[in-house]
Amino acid sequence: MEIVEVETIEPGRRSLSKLLRDAKYVALVAVDAETARTAMNRFMATDSVEIERERKGKIKRIDISPYVIEAEVRENGSTVLRLPAAEDRVAVAFTLALPPSGGVRATEVLRAAFGEAAHDAWVVRTEFVIDS
């Protein structure tokens, strides 16, 4: 990891968690490229994608589609993350919004888009986008 800049945060300034706007991810999914493209195109074209979350014994339905800003299927996963063991996986890059009220987990997006194939996906957060 390369450190680009270090800055002292003065008292009273917004915290880092409140400055975070988006998070970028790459997931390596064990499906072929055409299946990945079809799944992500369907996901992105759908107006509402609801998931269920359980918290404190209660089930809550959440529409996760507004949190997914963009998604792109890349080819061979081994060339994206330089992992030789990922040759049989397809890389899916996506950006998630990080609103102050809470958002969606990368794994929830993958399960909604890929179903069972998402359970053994490898996910890496590659970048945070910060409001300036």
Side-chain angles (χ1 to χ4, degrees):
M1 177 188 314
E2 178 183 338
I3 297 174
V4 178
E5 182 179 343
V6 176
E7 182 180 328
T8 303
I9 298 176
E10 301 299 325
R13 192 165 169 200
R14 288 192 326 177
S15 68
L16 178 60
S17 64
K18 291 184 180 167
L19 292 173
L20 296 177
R21 188 182 74 212
D22 305 333
K24 296 180 183 258
Y25 295 87
V26 173
L28 300 179
V29 186
V31 297
D32 61 83
E34 189 57 38
T35 300
R37 274 191 214 84
T38 300
M40 289 312 297
N41 288 342
R42 186 175 335 132
F43 181 92
M44 295 303 287
T46 304
D47 291 336
S48 176
V49 179
E50 288 194 348
I51 63 160
E52 290 184 351
R53 275 192 193 157
E54 182 178 348
R55 189 168 185 194
K56 297 181 182 180
K58 295 184 180 184
I59 303 284
K60 184 177 180 182
R61 294 190 64 77
I62 300 167
D63 179 12
I64 64 172
S65 54
Y67 299 106
V68 183
I69 297 169
E70 61 186 357
E72 166 189 20
V73 174
R74 299 180 181 165
E75 295 299 324
N76 184 325
S78 65
T79 58
V80 174
L81 292 179
R82 297 186 193 102
L83 296 172
E87 289 179 358
D88 64 336
R89 293 172 179 262
V90 172
V92 179
F94 55 101
T95 303
L96 301 180
L98 298 175
S101 60
V104 62
R105 296 177 192 96
T107 54
E108 292 172 326
V109 171
L110 294 171
R111 281 195 298 267
F114 293 102
E116 288 296 316
H119 289 289
D120 69 345
W122 304 344
V123 184
V124 176
R125 184 174 39 229
T126 59
E127 183 180 342
F128 279 118
V129 179
I130 298 174
D131 272 336
S132 44

